[in-house]
Amino acid sequence: QLVESGGGLVQPGGSLRLSCAASEFILRLYAVGWFRQAPGKEREKVSCISKTDIGTEYVDSVKGRFTISRDNVKNMVYLQMNSLKPEDTAVYYCTAYPGVSCAGLYEYRGQGTLVTVSS
């Protein structure tokens, strides 16, 4: 239902765009978000875009650097990540929540894509 791509190795200050291919069913009925998990750290919800596409949310540590968007024609959700920092290194997961926003537990999750920020 959700397939991520776009991860890789990037230098500090660089950019990456993560993509999440979603089914039309999910994009129509679910809010979609990204969370990340770094080795030895707690899972962190990074960003969310609402089901109605009128609201976005970001964790404070990525505000001003990351942008989430969705293309309901292509059935895609994107996470544009700019000014990347080593602390952004993690596996990033695309998730779908059965509500207007990304509150509570996700119902679907992709396999994850690894982002490594290092010189």
Side-chain angles (χ1 to χ4, degrees):
Q1 300 275 15
L2 299 172
V3 179
E4 304 97 332
S5 61
L9 173 64
V10 63
Q11 292 187 342
S15 298
L16 280 176
R17 187 177 78 159
L18 303 184
S19 298
C20 175
S23 67
E24 183 178 349
F25 165 78
I26 283 181
L27 285 189
R28 184 161 45 91
L29 298 178
Y30 290 77
V32 179
W34 293 87
F35 77 80
R36 64 188 178 187
Q37 187 153 27
K41 294 187 177 180
E42 293 289 321
R43 178 188 303 176
E44 179 179 51
K45 191 177 292 185
V46 175
S47 183
C48 175
I49 188 163
S50 67
K51 180 175 70 171
T52 55
D53 200 17
I54 61 173
T56 57
E57 301 170 19
Y58 300 93
V59 67
D60 285 347
S61 60
V62 308
K63 283 181 181 178
R65 300 188 298 122
F66 290 13
T67 303
I68 191 170
S69 62
R70 59 196 289 166
D71 185 330
N72 292 334
V73 174
K74 296 182 178 179
N75 294 337
M76 298 290 291
V77 176
Y78 304 102
L79 185 68
Q80 178 67 42
M81 306 186 297
N82 299 328
S83 302
L84 282 162
K85 304 175 181 180
E87 50 264 44
D88 295 318
T89 295
V91 178
Y92 285 71
Y93 297 90
C94 182
T95 48
Y97 297 79
V100 175
S101 67
C102 298
L105 298 176
Y106 60 81
E107 192 164 313
Y108 297 96
R109 193 202 79 179
Q111 83 287 352
T113 186
L114 176 63
V115 172
T116 303
V117 184
S118 174
S119 55

